[in-house]
């Protein structure tokens, strides 16, 4: 049976009654993949044709080239303040940059949280250089989006270790600890502020419905890795998952609204 | 728009899976949910079970469902399991016009030494061969059989344009499917440069979801003509050109 949101998405490719917040985006080109349109205009055109109203992102420059890349993020958000918010990227291999990361976050409203990539940085989530960030985010109840993927460095076991020590972090498990689905679900069940983020994971057959059944749609967020993925792809995965439209609204924008402290309205 | 999924299966997957599609009815239920009218289907048991038995089961099990078009999984001819003389006739009798190969699972090398006579037959009869992404393998097969109708499927979320664009340029019968081809603006860029004739709608169900590739193609920033060709026209044409 077709629901209202299914009908809207099929008809127009966007849902007038349901905005989308992309909680896991990037910006700019990256060596490992060809992007036809990795900058603002192309990303905004994608957002417009799929109804993504806000993209919270970290620039590839910040992830792959170092602290200064955060200024690429800042400039991009300033160029399109209606469409983007930024994450400050902290690299634990450059612990001397932590104070500058903290200042960026505190002084610029363009930044709404932190992004870490233990995989790229080859640095365990449980390593000591992450502690200042986690301690701070725990105190401030701040948003931290971590790349998480099955394995030791940033799998579900490592996330659990972080949450046990710093349960007040608003912790987004980017890619939902890809492959360690059951364990990621348990983390989201055990810690009120640990969330499953769907980027790339959404494509796995049956996964969205499984997450919603296990942890409730209030703990699941929508992301696209833009400019990596056509928003219609993850959107189609959520739209046709065997969940309700209320679940879809939670995933598409309500949870992100709550975490970002904004209100888009229905 | 008519959707013809080139890449679907049902039956046992033998791995931990969240989406069980044990029989054709379960697959059809998924298709109806998203609006896919037709699918080219291999039997899951033909991969990790025994291909030749599963190929036969497929024909029996799909008989009541004309919207499910059978595809067989082949084996090398040297052991006598895959009969070089009789397979085109058997395919014809069973309404099979497409083949998959899983050389890794089935412990053989998909190359000229092992599969030369089989692949020559495929070339002569324009029978499409479907392969999961393994770019070195695909490059070497096409180097030896440049006229082979070969469909590279299941890209993985990293765009693989740097791998497959050279093949599109070099080999006129090389195709890709859209399962996991998620690249933003990817279809638009591909169609602009290479046309829409060599892209096939695929979903990799049940490993992957049908909804993602479907909504992506439905609203891709490409012409209606291109969408219809990718959704079903190209695959219908390929199957129509098979000579058995
Ligand atoms: Zn990412």
């Amino acid at each position: 049976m077709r629901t209202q949101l299914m009908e809207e998405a099929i008809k127009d490719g966007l849902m007038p009654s349901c905005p989308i917040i992309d909680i896991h985006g990037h910006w700019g080109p990256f060596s490992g993949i060809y992007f036809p349109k990795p900058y603002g205009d192309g990303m905004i055109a994608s957002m417009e044709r799929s109804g993504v109203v806000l993209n919270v992102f970290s620039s590839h420059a910040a992830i792959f080239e170092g602290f200064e890349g955060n200024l690429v993020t800042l400039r991009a958000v300033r160029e399109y303040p209606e469409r983007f918010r930024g994450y400050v990227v902290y690299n634990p291999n450059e612990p001397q940059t932590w104070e500058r990361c903290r200042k960026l976050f505190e002084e610029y409203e363009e930044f709404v949280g932190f992004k870490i990539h233990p995989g790229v940085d080859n640095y365990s989530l449980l390593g000591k250089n992450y502690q200042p960030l986690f301690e701070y985010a725990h105190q401030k109840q701040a948003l931290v989006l971590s790349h998480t993927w099955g394995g030791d460095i940033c799998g579900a076991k490592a996330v659990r270790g972080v949450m046990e020590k710093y349960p007040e972090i608003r912790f987004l498990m980017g890619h939902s600890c890809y492959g360690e689905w059951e364990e990621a679900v348990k983390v989201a069940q055990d810690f009120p502020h640990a969330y499953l983020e769907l980027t790339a994971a959404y494509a796995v057959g049956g996964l969205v419905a499984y997450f919603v059944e296990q942890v409730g749609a209030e703990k699941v967020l929508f992301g696209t890795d833009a400019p990596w993925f056509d928003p219609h792809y993850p959107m189609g995965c959520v739209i046709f998952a065997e969940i309700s439209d209320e679940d879809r609204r939670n995933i598409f924008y309500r949870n992100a609204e709550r975490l970002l402290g904004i209100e888009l309205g229905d | 728009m008519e959707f013809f999924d080139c890449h679907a299966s049902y039956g046992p997957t033998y791995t931990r899976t969240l989406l069980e599609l044990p029989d054709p009815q379960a697959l059809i239920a998924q298709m109806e949910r998203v609006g896919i009218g037709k699918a080219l289907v291999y039997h899951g048991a033909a991969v990790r079970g025994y291909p030749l038995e599963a190929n036969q089961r497929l024909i029996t099990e799909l008989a009541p469902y004309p919207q499910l078009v059978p595809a067989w999984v082949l084996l090398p001819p040297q052991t006598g399991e895959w009969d070089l003389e009789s397979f085109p006739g058997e395919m014809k009798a069973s309404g099979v016009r497409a083949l998959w190969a899983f050389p890794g699972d089935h412990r053989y090398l998909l190359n000229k030494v092992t599969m030369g006579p089989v692949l020559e037959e495929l070339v002569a009869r324009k029978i499409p061969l479907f392969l999961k992404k393994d770019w070195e393998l695909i490059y070497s097969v096409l180097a030896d059989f440049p006229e082979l109708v070969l469909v590279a499927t299941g890209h993985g979320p990293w765009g693989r344009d740097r791998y497959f664009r050279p093949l599109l340029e070099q080999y006129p019968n090389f195709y890709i499917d859209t399962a996991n081809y998620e690249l933003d603006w990817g279809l638009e860029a591909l169609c602009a440069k290479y046309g829409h004739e060599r892209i096939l709608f695929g979903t990799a169900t049940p490993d992957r979801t049908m909804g993602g590739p479907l909504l992506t193609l439905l609203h891709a920033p490409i012409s209606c003509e291109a969408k219809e060709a990718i959704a079903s026209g190209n695959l219908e044409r390929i199957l129509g050109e098979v000579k058995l």
Side-chain angles (χ1 to χ4, degrees), chain B residues 41-62:
Chain B
V41 179
Y42 65 87
H43 203 302
V47 184
R48 297 278 289 275
Y50 188 56
L52 300 188
E53 287 180 6
N55 285 344
Q56 292 309 321
R57 271 170 61 197
L58 181 78
I59 301 307
T60 315
E61 291 170 8
L62 296 194

Side-chain angles (χ1 to χ4, degrees), chain A residues 2 6 9-13 30-34 36-37 42 45-46 49 178-179 182 202-205 207 210 227-233 236-237 240-242, chain B residues 16 18-19 30 32-35 157-159 161-162 165 178-186 188-189 206-209 211-216 218-221:
Chain A
R2 290 264 160 94
M6 277 182 182
I10 291 167
K11 182 165 168 286
D12 296 322
F30 163 54
S31 61
I33 181 172
Y34 155 69
K37 300 183 185 182
S46 287
R49 63 188 176 77
Y178 199 101
E182 291 93 338
Y202 46 66
V204 173
L207 190 74
Y210 170 73
W228 289 62
F229 306 137
D230 185 328
H232 283 133
Y233 202 104
C237 297
F240 291 105
E242 300 195 22
Chain B
R16 195 176 49 145
L18 295 167
L19 185 61
Q30 289 293 319
E32 287 176 350
R33 181 172 176 78
V34 302
W158 290 52
D161 285 64
R162 291 173 187 160
R165 283 187 178 211
T178 63
N180 260 117
Y181 187 62
E182 303 181 41
L183 181 67
D184 199 16
W185 300 102
E188 187 207 37
D207 296 336
R208 305 278 142 183
T209 72
L214 181 117
L215 203 68
T216 301
L218 198 57
H219 296 292

Side-chain angles (χ1 to χ4, degrees), chain A residues 73-108:
Chain A
T73 306
L74 181 61
R75 280 195 295 274
V77 177
R78 285 187 169 170
E79 196 178 343
Y80 306 97
E82 302 293 310
R83 290 299 201 169
F84 294 102
R85 290 293 179 275
Y87 291 108
V88 177
V89 175
Y90 168 63
N91 179 347
N93 296 309
E94 298 176 339
Q96 73 281 7
T97 63
W98 161 244
E99 279 305 314
R100 288 157 79 198
C101 288
R102 183 180 60 76
K103 279 201 183 111
L104 269 188
F105 176 70
E106 287 180 351
E107 288 173 16
Y108 295 93

Side-chain angles (χ1 to χ4, degrees), chain A residues 24 26 115 175 225:
Chain A
H24 182 166
H26 298 290
K115 158 85 180 189
H175 313 295
D225 257 346

Side-chain angles (χ1 to χ4, degrees), chain B residues 1-46:
Chain B
M1 190 157 40
E2 300 290 316
F3 283 93
F4 188 176
D5 182 355
C6 77
H7 182 180
S9 67
Y10 70 89
T13 51
Y14 301 98
T15 49
R16 195 176 49 145
T17 181
L18 295 167
L19 185 61
E20 297 279 357
L21 300 179
D23 49 42
Q25 295 94 313
L27 176 60
I28 289 169
Q30 289 293 319
M31 291 162 62
E32 287 176 350
R33 181 172 176 78
V34 302
I36 294 174
K38 206 168 163 186
L40 183 66
V41 179
Y42 65 87
H43 203 302

Side-chain angles (χ1 to χ4, degrees), chain A residues 24-26 58 60 63 115 117 145 147 175 197 199 225 228:
Chain A
H24 182 166
H26 298 290
S58 52
H60 287 118
I63 295 174
K115 158 85 180 189
H117 203 310
L145 168 61
H147 175 91
H175 313 295
E197 187 279 321
T199 298
D225 257 346
W228 289 62

